[in-house]
Amino acid sequence: LPLFLVLGLAGMFGNQLLYLLGVYYTNANIASIFQPAIPVWTALIAIITRIEPFPPVTKLHGWAKILGILLAAVGAFTMSIKGGLSNNGDSSEALGYVFLLGNTLCMSVYVLIQKRFIFNVEDSTWRSKPVTVTAWSYMFGAMFMALASLYYVNKPEKFHHIPREEVYPIVYAIFIASALCYLLITWCNMQISSSLVTATWPLQVLFCAVLSYLVLDEVMNSLQYAGGVLIILGLLGVVWSNYSEEK
């Protein structure tokens, strides 16, 4: 149970709270710029803690993994820089950067703790139970969220006044963007390396741009096209590297 408490604190509570605080003090565009750091943090921490071996730099697939992660991160950053970072020197915005940095670190720590103490342990009773792992982690995360909500205990309107047009986004955020995504992350983490799991993170930016074009008629600019190509090339490099290592 202490392990699930840590997973809930880092992955469900800390990750989402710090992200929301980061968006609050900066903006959604800046928040998206920080997200490609997740696969980079994951790869670095995994290597430092020896959860994953250092990619062999004497072999092509070793460089493919290193450059692939960096390419995907750079590609996502390139697609996200529309609007850019502001230069107003606002201390609250600097605080937002700290929150977003913590958000990316929390997500990396979450998948790596799962890998190290559950899926890499031969006699772990939870090793083949990704749904149970997610459920227990989510329970503790929800408990921390409930405690955090006490901040609004003297503002009851925050709890029962939800505009009708916000109901569907909230339901989607709870069941799809949160619960289902965490379950899929856990299942993938059980099957493949953590660095490969998080290497797909930059695809969020690419899919967001494509869906914005298809649904909202937002035109993609040249930077977004270039970033999309870098993301695809980077992920192909990581996947090929992982395939070569397992041969």
Side-chain angles (χ1 to χ4, degrees):
L1 289 183
L3 177 60
F4 293 122
L5 186 147
V6 173
L7 288 173
L9 178 62
M12 278 65 177
F13 177 69
N15 169 46
Q16 297 186 67
L17 175 65
L18 292 174
Y19 177 79
L20 291 173
L21 288 173
V23 172
Y24 177 79
Y25 284 106
T26 58
N27 56 58
N29 188 59
I30 292 176
S32 67
I33 290 175
F34 273 80
Q35 298 313 298
I38 293 175
V40 178
W41 288 128
T42 304
L44 287 175
I45 297 173
I47 292 170
I48 292 172
T49 57
R50 298 185 179 181
I51 295 175
E52 296 179 16
F54 189 85
V57 293
T58 57
K59 296 183 179 179
L60 184 59
H61 66 80
W63 280 106
K65 184 173 186 178
I66 296 171
L67 295 177
I69 291 173
L70 292 177
L71 268 180
V74 170
F77 178 83
T78 302
M79 294 188 70
S80 305
I81 60 177
K82 184 180 179 181
L85 299 174
S86 65
N87 298 310
N88 56 18
D90 189 350
S91 60
S92 64
E93 187 170 273
L95 182 61
Y97 296 159
V98 174
F99 285 138
L100 290 171
L101 182 63
N103 150 241
T104 58
L105 280 170
C106 277
M107 196 64 225
S108 297
V109 169
Y110 172 74
V111 294
L112 289 171
I113 289 177
Q114 266 192 359
K115 196 69 173 179
R116 171 65 180 83
F117 295 103
I118 296 178
F119 300 127
N120 278 359
V121 178
E122 292 291 339
D123 58 348
S124 173
T125 56
W126 310 100
R127 193 180 183 198
S128 59
K129 300 176 180 178
V131 176
T132 307
V133 170
T134 305
W136 275 102
S137 303
Y138 224 100
M139 186 192 75
F140 283 107
M143 290 171 60
F144 285 117
M145 292 176 192
L147 290 173
S149 69
L150 294 177
Y151 176 79
Y152 290 106
V153 70
N154 294 322
K155 300 177 181 179
E157 70 278 3
K158 297 290 185 179
F159 290 94
H160 59 71
H161 178 65
I162 301 176
R164 187 174 181 179
E165 63 273 12
E166 294 181 9
V167 172
Y168 293 116
I170 290 174
V171 171
Y172 177 86
I174 293 172
F175 293 102
I176 305 299
S178 186
L180 179 60
C181 282
Y182 272 106
L183 173 59
L184 292 174
I185 289 168
T186 303
W187 185 85
C188 291
N189 205 23
M190 179 181 69
Q191 305 291 335
I192 57 180
S193 68
S194 296
S195 59
L196 185 56
V197 172
T198 55
T200 61
W201 242 258
L203 282 175
Q204 295 180 71
V205 182
L206 177 60
F207 286 150
C208 182
V210 172
L211 288 173
S212 295
Y213 172 77
L214 295 175
V215 179
L216 303 177
D217 293 325
E218 293 184 2
V219 179
M220 293 175 63
N221 57 37
S222 56
L223 275 179
Q224 289 176 316
Y225 281 114
V229 171
L230 290 176
I231 290 172
I232 293 171
L233 290 175
L235 291 179
L236 286 175
V238 172
V239 171
W240 177 80
S241 172
N242 190 70
Y243 172 76
S244 299
E245 288 177 357
E246 293 179 354
K247 283 180 64 176

